[in-house]
Amino acid sequence: MKRKEFLKSLGAGAAFALVFPCVNGCSNNEGDDTIGVITPQPTGVDFTIDLTSSEATKLQTNGGFILKDLVVVVKNLQGEFVAATQICSHEGYDQVRFEKSVDDGIFYCDVHGSRFGQDGQPLNQIPGSVAKPIKIYQTSLEGDILRVFE
């Protein structure tokens, strides 16, 4: 190998050695690899939650919510059960949660700040996008069993 070829190959290798750790260091490695992942909307949603189970502990109080099968299940501030998709209509991130300290409680996505009413309707306009509603699922309660379905 000639010296010029060697220096070229060393230069590319050195650049790779410097850039690769930086790119890897900029990724999210804090234990939740799903943040920022675009997720398809769930279909065929139909599940039950035993409200006496440990899974449903947060649904014992008004304003509490749990995440199950890409659905946010909420006991709103009025004590009614509401369920919405976790998938934001803005860009498809699975980061929709319930915020009880705003108005009567809203759904929000912490990726871009999208906010939605309990009926799924958008409450704010994200610059550069058209606000679309999020999917709201039906709920029914029989004794201690909450059903969430389409």
Side-chain angles (χ1 to χ4, degrees), residues 78-93:
Q78 294 76 32
E80 301 165 343
F81 291 101
V82 180
T85 182
Q86 271 184 252
I87 311 303
C88 183
S89 62
H90 176 225
E91 286 192 1
Y93 294 106

Side-chain angles (χ1 to χ4, degrees), residues 34-45:
T34 62
I35 293 177
V37 174
I38 296 175
T39 306
Q41 192 69 244
T43 58
V45 170

Side-chain angles (χ1 to χ4, degrees), residues 82 84 105 107 116-123 133-136:
V82 180
F107 292 101
F116 306 91
Q118 291 182 38
D119 61 357
Q121 293 302 312
L123 298 175
I134 58 171
K135 174 96 173 149
I136 300 295

Side-chain angles (χ1 to χ4, degrees), residues 89-147:
S89 62
H90 176 225
E91 286 192 1
Y93 294 106
D94 62 350
Q95 297 299 307
V96 173
R97 305 295 188 262
F98 187 73
E99 175 60 53
K100 63 183 177 183
S101 64
V102 180
D103 302 321
D104 289 330
I106 61 162
F107 292 101
Y108 74 96
C109 178
D110 59 8
V111 176
H112 295 105
S114 299
R115 297 166 31 129
F116 306 91
Q118 291 182 38
D119 61 357
Q121 293 302 312
L123 298 175
N124 63 336
Q125 181 70 34
I126 304 300
S129 71
V130 176
K132 296 178 277 187
I134 58 171
K135 174 96 173 149
I136 300 295
Y137 299 101
Q138 298 179 58
T139 61
S140 67
L141 182 62
E142 291 187 29
D144 290 326
I145 303 298
L146 177 66
R147 180 179 176 212

Side-chain angles (χ1 to χ4, degrees), residues 36-86:
V37 174
I38 296 175
T39 306
Q41 192 69 244
T43 58
V45 170
D46 192 351
F47 60 84
T48 59
I49 300 168
D50 181 347
L51 296 176
T52 63
S53 69
S54 60
E55 168 189 41
T57 302
K58 292 182 180 179
L59 295 176
Q60 306 274 326
T61 57
N62 292 1
F65 72 90
I66 64 170
L67 307 175
K68 182 171 180 167
D69 298 340
L70 294 175
V71 175
V72 183
V73 182
V74 176
K75 185 174 186 183
N76 69 15
L77 300 178
Q78 294 76 32
E80 301 165 343
F81 291 101
V82 180
T85 182
Q86 271 184 252

